[in-house]
Amino acid sequence: MKKAAYILKSNNIYRGTGMDTFPGIVAVRDDKIIFVGDTQREKDFTDEHTEIMDFGDKLIMPGMHDAHLHFFMSGLYADPKVKVSSTDRSEQECVDGLRDIENLVGKDEWMLGAGWNHTEWDNPVLPTKHSLDKAYPDRPVAMISADCHTVWMNSKGLEKIGVDRNTPDISGGFMDRDENGEPLGVFHEAAATSLYRVLFDFPEEESERFYLNFMKILNSYGITSVCDMSIMAVPGLDFVRDDIYEKLEKEGKLSVRVHMFPTMEPGLERAMEMRDRFQGPMLYCNGVKHFFDGVSGCHTAYLKEPYSNAYFPGDCGKTTVPPDDMRRMLLEAHENDFSMRVHTIGDEAIHLMIDYAEEAETKFGHKPWLHHTLEHLENFQFDDIERLQRAHLIASVQPAHILLTVSGVERDLGYERNQLMWPFRRLIDSGVRIAFGTDSPVVDVNPLHSIYNAVTRQSAFDGSPAGGWIPREKIAPWEAVSAYTYGSACAANAEHLYGTLAPGMFADICVLDHNIIKEDPENILETYCVMTMCGGKIVYDNSEFGVRSSE
């Protein structure tokens, strides 16, 4: 019988599915799990080389998987040169906060801010270039919104990128203008994301540093795999940096498995080339991503009925691409065995994507190895929840988004539609597979915050609102943890590789100091990652807990 390199012991082991934990061991050899079960089998897998780690009552579970993040920007936002202003309450507070980075970048370099959210300001109106101009008339400044769908820039920045009143809007995006047609420095949707190629033009060694630092952060939270999603619908400029990943893999520096989802483009040329090159064990490409609408806070999410606080008659938002173009893209992806991930926030965008998924299965057949996935899914038409399940679509949702903009959502959509916002309980009860993530850097990548949000429907920062927002949509802790492990592995087409603790699966494991499956949900926020293992290698060890012991 093969002996283990490691044996992990605990009174609380969670396999990744089901309601319960159990006492036992997990035996690891090379990069795989070889046994999960009763402690009486420990000696069968032990020799003089085996390291035994007894975690007592701590929770052993599959490594966390963030099903939706943007790796490049997450690493950038973690850098001290970027000022993150997610808690600011006004336009002026955001401007004042830039003083923290004034001396960290050269006068001709972009001063970058991020995380602002005008819907949560005391005066919830979009900013303009004028406040930035007053503080910084002679150097370029760009501020990226919390949802990454809007960029706010000063006049020097507009000059640097060559934008003036004669610059036309681009397809899928627009910029705010005054009554004379002069740009106000605020860019939306594709007009915003198209700027990232200029704003994020860093030397290669600096970009690599972003990646390496962010991987350390991920491992410290027990995260062993991610889906890196295209952040802009421009082929080759989606910031899915396969070149950086490939270099780091060759150097043995990857400590997180990465599933790359580049922008979907007709012909699938880049995606096919990436699929041929990246089939594991650390880098994968089996899918593509696109955007179908925007965000509710800027009235760019696509709704069936007008916004409750409509800016103009018939204000339902709009799709970022013509609906029939999106239909053809999904059909092409399905035919060519690519899972498609589609940004859909508004109820009508979701409704149409379900139509297209049903058509794809009718035309090309159900392909169980494909997992088409809708991203964000904030607002539903009632019947579409069950249709989602029948169309075999996965719901990739970000629980930490629930309480980001409650007041804004209530203004935008009104009471009735709010009742079907982020309906996790209904989704699970209808048999829909859900996958959890954060959309980092939109919110912090900490998975415990997301699990807490899903279980309590309360803010991880101040506990509001008492009793939870739309409390009937709360889910159980085991359901939330399963969504962050097995469910997210499904969204990556990788449930046969990891996401559960079972023989033959990759030894991607995390250990938490509390049994969040069974304990009071309030303990979730007091929980820490003790140890993280990816492919049988310990990539994070919080030694302050003193849990490792060799026998």
Side-chain angles (χ1 to χ4, degrees), residues 209-444:
R209 178 169 56 83
F210 298 156
Y211 278 65
L212 292 169
N213 288 342
F214 189 56
M215 276 190 285
K216 291 179 181 178
I217 294 170
L218 293 171
N219 293 155
S220 75
Y221 286 131
I223 297 171
T224 55
S225 51
V226 301
C227 293
D228 187 6
M229 311 296 288
S230 164
I231 199 164
M232 56 189 293
V234 179
L237 292 170
D238 48 25
F239 287 90
V240 177
R241 293 291 303 272
D242 54 298
D243 57 331
I244 293 178
Y245 287 129
E246 189 169 34
K247 183 175 185 291
L248 294 178
E249 182 187 34
K250 288 178 179 177
E251 295 172 354
K253 294 179 179 178
L254 288 181
S255 61
V256 173
R257 297 187 201 281
V258 180
H259 291 261
M260 296 174 283
F261 289 85
T263 295
M264 169 66 190
E265 56 182 313
L268 291 162
E269 183 176 349
R270 181 180 180 222
M272 287 185 175
E273 187 270 335
M274 287 177 65
R275 182 169 65 181
D276 288 343
R277 285 167 53 212
F278 301 114
Q279 284 300 310
M282 297 301 292
L283 295 176
Y284 300 84
C285 180
N286 294 303
V288 289
K289 191 230 178 168
H290 216 289
F291 295 81
F292 199 29
D293 68 346
V295 292
S296 298
C298 293
H299 288 205
T300 52
Y302 186 45
L303 305 180
K304 181 179 181 181
E305 302 293 339
Y307 283 88
S308 297
N309 57 340
Y311 297 158
F312 52 84
D315 180 15
C316 295
K318 56 186 177 181
T319 60
T320 55
V321 297
D324 202 50
D325 287 358
M326 179 58 71
R327 169 184 164 273
R328 285 194 292 268
M329 282 191 278
L330 182 62
L331 291 174
E332 183 177 9
H334 191 92
E335 182 181 12
N336 287 281
D337 290 340
F338 280 96
S339 292
M340 187 149 175
R341 311 278 293 265
V342 185
H343 172 117
T344 49
I345 285 182
D347 64 346
E348 189 64 8
I350 295 168
H351 182 81
L352 290 174
M353 286 309 307
I354 298 172
D355 287 347
Y356 306 154
E358 291 174 338
E359 181 181 354
E361 291 208 340
T362 298
K363 189 169 184 179
F364 300 112
H366 173 53
K367 298 182 176 182
W369 59 92
L370 288 185
H371 295 313
H372 299 310
T373 302
L374 302 189
E375 307 293 324
H376 311 309
L377 304 105
E378 293 183 5
N379 175 234
F380 278 87
Q381 297 172 30
F382 185 81
D383 291 340
D384 282 345
I385 293 177
E386 291 193 355
R387 288 183 66 222
L388 199 71
Q389 187 275 331
R390 292 197 298 270
H392 305 108
L393 289 164
I394 292 176
S396 171
V397 286
Q398 298 75 43
H401 289 191
I402 298 173
L403 296 154
L404 276 179
T405 58
V406 166
S407 58
V409 165
E410 291 175 343
R411 285 194 302 268
D412 292 331
L413 299 176
Y415 178 82
E416 291 298 329
R417 283 184 288 194
N418 267 224
Q419 303 313 298
L420 283 177
M421 292 293 293
W422 294 286
F424 299 158
R425 178 77 271 149
R426 296 185 196 216
L427 286 166
I428 290 174
D429 288 348
S430 296
V432 176
R433 173 66 58 197
I434 63 174
F436 278 174
T438 56
D439 202 12
S440 174
V442 173
V443 298
D444 187 81

Side-chain angles (χ1 to χ4, degrees), residues 54 88 122 146 162 197 205 230 263 290 293 303 382 487 547 551:
D54 190 340
D88 290 345
D122 296 330
R197 75 184 86 179
E205 61 274 14
S230 164
T263 295
H290 216 289
D293 68 346
L303 305 180
F382 185 81
V547 296
E551 295 184 5

Side-chain angles (χ1 to χ4, degrees), residues 22 33 42 74 92 128 145 157 170 180 185 205 226 253 273 298 360 392 408 433 469 550:
F22 65 93
I33 295 170
E42 179 181 327
S74 296
Q92 192 59 46
T128 69
S145 66
I170 69 172
N180 299 314
E205 61 274 14
V226 301
K253 294 179 179 178
E273 187 270 335
C298 293
H392 305 108
R433 173 66 58 197
W469 188 64
S550 297

Side-chain angles (χ1 to χ4, degrees), residues 164-166 177-184:
D164 58 26
R165 64 180 301 165
N166 297 314
R177 304 172 189 263
D178 66 15
E179 63 276 9
N180 299 314
E182 291 290 339
L184 287 170

